[in-house]
Amino acid sequence: MFTENEQLEIVNDALRAVQPTLDEHGLRASALVSNWNQSLLVRISTQDGQSRQYAVIVDKNNERAAIQALSFHRNDAPLIITPYVPSKVARAWREIGIDYVDEAGNLRLDWGDRLIDVEGRKRPTSQQRWNPDMRDGFTRAFKRGGVQVIFALLAWPTLVEHPLRTISKAADVSLGTTQVVMSELEANGFVHADGVRRLARTSELLSRWSSAYATELSPKLTLGRFRDEDARWWRDDLSQLHDFGVLLGGESAAYILDDFMLPANAILYSRSAPRQLMATRRWRPSEENWNTEVRHKFWFEPRDALNIPVEPLVPHVLIYADLLMSGEPRQIEHAARFRRTSNRLVPLDRS
């Protein structure tokens, strides 16, 4: 795990890389450490004395950085510092309210009464060598197998107390992968092993897991996309999902728990393609006009899990992550609301 001084050096290197962009607009940036929780912050200041404080994200991967920004659960708004933001990404970030600055001269800073928004600058032919982002204290924890292990721990927090073999079975990964990931989590302060193992800093872990899930695991899960004549066929009889061995996830599961937003699509998780359900509903494969997606169920519920819902829904951490990674403003808004109200997620944010 990077020390505080090493993290501060990473942020300062990134700020030096983007300072020419800030100079164009008479802005200065400085890195600091929060007195409250020791997190790294950046303060952007104008020549007339205005300033805004941000929680900083330094990452060369724009998709991963955006998911991390959207999952932030802090008082300070996030600022992404990255080598380059293409116009398509800049427009998407503008729509969902992400501030950023890059090395090419693109930036967006929205302070309410002051807006600086520049996009379309081309990638520079030569860029400063960027240090690794602050996730690189890990080698396996935020790769595919590690994402599955962390999912199981966040979905069933008491699972961490069980033997590693039980954890690996719930995560559906090898015992060797589980051993490496648990060691990394312990070395980086997310698992305390003084006596009985317990999770720590679960709010930060949930945010970082959501980011890694979006890039490392979710893209590999789709088993098929289909069109049903009734886009909300699943609403009237949830018991049919039990009968076919599938679980509801994403925006459709979020609607069952909190009808804040009417879902457009059904997201299902199954160990394999539910052929009986496909035949019963007469689904037609469709990549363009689909309204039902089937994804691989990449876990097994622990035998003694106390929070397996009666309704056929995936764990709340997965509902949250799927809402977040959709990229749709309303689903992202629902994700933030769900994190504040879910009886499974609220306890994670207390740590």
Side-chain angles (χ1 to χ4, degrees):
M1 183 181 184
F2 289 116
T3 67
E4 182 181 297
N5 286 337
E6 288 171 334
Q7 291 182 356
L8 198 57
E9 183 179 348
I10 289 172
V11 173
N12 280 324
D13 284 347
L15 288 177
R16 281 190 286 271
V18 301
Q19 188 56 55
T21 299
L22 299 173
D23 285 342
E24 289 185 42
H25 305 278
L27 301 171
R28 300 302 297 174
S30 58
L32 60 151
V33 179
S34 168
N35 291 327
W36 175 61
N37 60 4
Q38 302 303 299
S39 61
L40 288 173
L41 306 173
V42 163
R43 179 174 290 125
I44 307 287
S45 304
T46 66
Q47 293 176 334
D48 59 7
Q50 277 191 297
S51 67
R52 174 65 60 91
Q53 187 166 284
Y54 291 95
V56 62
I57 298 169
V58 177
D59 203 325
K60 293 170 289 197
N61 183 308
N62 287 332
E63 182 180 4
R64 186 172 63 197
I67 296 295
Q68 190 175 347
L70 292 168
S71 65
F72 261 38
H73 203 68
R74 303 179 184 173
N75 293 329
D76 297 299
L79 175 73
I80 295 175
I81 304 177
T82 187
Y84 180 63
V85 179
S87 290
K88 182 178 179 181
V89 175
R91 289 191 290 270
W93 286 3
R94 181 188 303 117
E95 187 174 0
I96 55 182
I98 292 179
D99 283 4
Y100 69 90
V101 56
D102 76 6
E103 194 178 345
N106 303 296
L107 79 163
R108 179 185 187 275
L109 301 174
D110 186 354
W111 298 359
D113 58 345
R114 181 189 291 261
L115 173 65
I116 303 174
D117 195 347
V118 178
E119 70 165 86
R121 300 274 184 94
K122 294 184 178 180
R123 186 190 299 271
T125 54
S126 62
Q127 291 180 306
Q128 175 172 315
R129 181 181 180 277
W130 283 63
N131 279 325
D133 64 72
M134 288 181 286
R135 301 163 55 91
D136 285 349
F138 297 90
T139 59
R140 299 278 292 279
F142 292 104
K143 298 300 183 182
R144 179 172 179 169
V147 168
Q148 291 181 217
V149 172
I150 295 173
F151 162 78
L153 297 176
L154 291 172
W156 301 284
T158 59
L159 186 63
V160 72
E161 303 170 8
H162 289 243
L164 295 184
R165 192 172 299 279
T166 303
I167 298 173
S168 68
K169 184 175 181 180
D172 197 18
V173 300
S174 70
L175 180 59
T177 293
T178 303
Q179 289 171 330
V180 172
V181 172
M182 293 297 288
S183 294
E184 288 188 4
L185 292 175
E186 184 178 342
N188 286 274
F190 290 108
V191 170
H192 291 171
D194 45 350
V196 177
R197 281 195 304 265
R198 59 187 176 86
L199 292 176
R201 295 162 54 203
T202 48
S203 180
E204 180 183 350
L205 186 60
L206 173 59
S207 295
R208 297 183 70 169
W209 172 81
S210 301
S211 172
Y213 165 77
T215 57
E216 299 293 333
L217 181 57
S218 181
K220 304 174 179 70
L221 296 178
T222 300
L223 296 177
R225 289 173 175 160
F226 307 93
R227 183 158 189 86
D228 193 294
E229 290 302 322
D230 178 4
R232 300 183 181 92
W233 57 270
W234 45 271
R235 284 203 304 172
D236 296 331
D237 184 13
L238 288 178
S239 64
Q240 64 181 311
L241 300 181
H242 270 310
D243 297 339
F244 292 111
V246 299
L247 299 176
L248 201 60
E251 57 181 317
S252 38
Y255 174 81
I256 297 297
L257 296 167
D258 172 18
D259 59 0
F260 171 73
M261 182 189 73
L262 194 64
N265 303 305
I267 307 298
L268 304 178
Y269 282 83
S270 176
R271 292 298 295 181
S272 59
R275 301 196 179 281
Q276 188 177 353
L277 177 60
M278 293 164 60
T280 300
R281 294 299 312 174
R282 299 181 179 177
W283 287 346
R284 301 189 309 274
S286 176
E287 283 298 322
E288 294 184 358
N289 299 310
W290 62 275
N291 56 23
T292 300
E293 180 175 1
V294 181
R295 298 177 181 172
H296 175 63
K297 180 176 176 285
F298 56 90
W299 71 93
F300 292 101
E301 290 81 3
R303 183 174 299 177
D304 59 347
L306 298 178
N307 61 344
I308 297 176
V310 175
E311 295 173 322
L313 309 179
V314 303
H316 289 205
V317 292
L318 184 55
I319 296 172
Y320 169 73
D322 279 339
L323 288 171
L324 201 60
M325 61 151 283
S326 70
E328 298 178 5
R330 288 198 68 208
Q331 287 199 52
I332 292 168
E333 182 183 1
H334 200 175
R337 172 187 169 100
F338 189 64
R339 183 160 177 168
R340 293 193 305 268
T341 58
S342 162
N343 62 355
R344 306 293 183 219
L345 302 184
V346 169
L348 296 178
D349 276 324
R350 291 179 183 146
S351 172

